[in-house]
Amino acid sequence: VQLQASGGGLVRTGGSLRLSCAASGRTINVMGWFRQAPGKEREFVAGINKNIYRLYADFAKGRFTISRDNLKNTVYLQMDNLAPEDTAVYYCAARQSLLVTSTPADYTVWGQGTQVTVSS
């Protein structure tokens, strides 16, 4: 299985971006988004399983929406009302269990990161 992330970019405070992550190969049960800012550890953003159960980090609730298209084996992250502290490299990840978790070590497949920069 390979993951291909896209959709990052530069946006002003309050703006929006939509990230996509397409999985090639077999259907993935859980797909998630993580992010890593310079000098910080990788942190969970949101995850979703194929039954459309969603889990969000507290900072993402109300601003970010994770969704997926099971036919396309693709997960999306709609990010609204972005702030400078959202600046990071965003990674998509996958795990075969149906349980959505927030621990990076639980995810066995990772895509390349996509840079999100929010200017003030």
Side-chain angles (χ1 to χ4, degrees), residues 39-66:
K40 295 187 177 181
E41 293 187 352
R42 190 167 298 189
E43 64 177 350
F44 174 76
V45 178
I48 186 170
N49 67 14
K50 67 177 183 179
N51 296 326
I52 318 300
Y53 171 82
R54 298 177 176 90
L55 181 68
Y56 291 98
D58 286 344
F59 66 80
K61 293 177 182 177
R63 298 191 301 130
F64 296 0
T65 303
I66 190 169

Side-chain angles (χ1 to χ4, degrees), residues 13-77:
T13 296
S16 298
L17 282 174
R18 188 190 193 210
L19 307 183
S20 299
C21 178
S24 60
R26 61 183 176 181
T27 299
I28 300 297
N29 285 332
V30 172
M31 299 182 79
W33 288 98
F34 292 78
R35 70 184 187 182
Q36 189 166 18
K40 295 187 177 181
E41 293 187 352
R42 190 167 298 189
E43 64 177 350
F44 174 76
V45 178
I48 186 170
N49 67 14
K50 67 177 183 179
N51 296 326
I52 318 300
Y53 171 82
R54 298 177 176 90
L55 181 68
Y56 291 98
D58 286 344
F59 66 80
K61 293 177 182 177
R63 298 191 301 130
F64 296 0
T65 303
I66 190 169
S67 61
R68 67 185 288 168
D69 184 331
N70 286 335
L71 292 178
K72 295 182 179 179
N73 220 13
T74 299
V75 65
Y76 306 96
L77 185 68

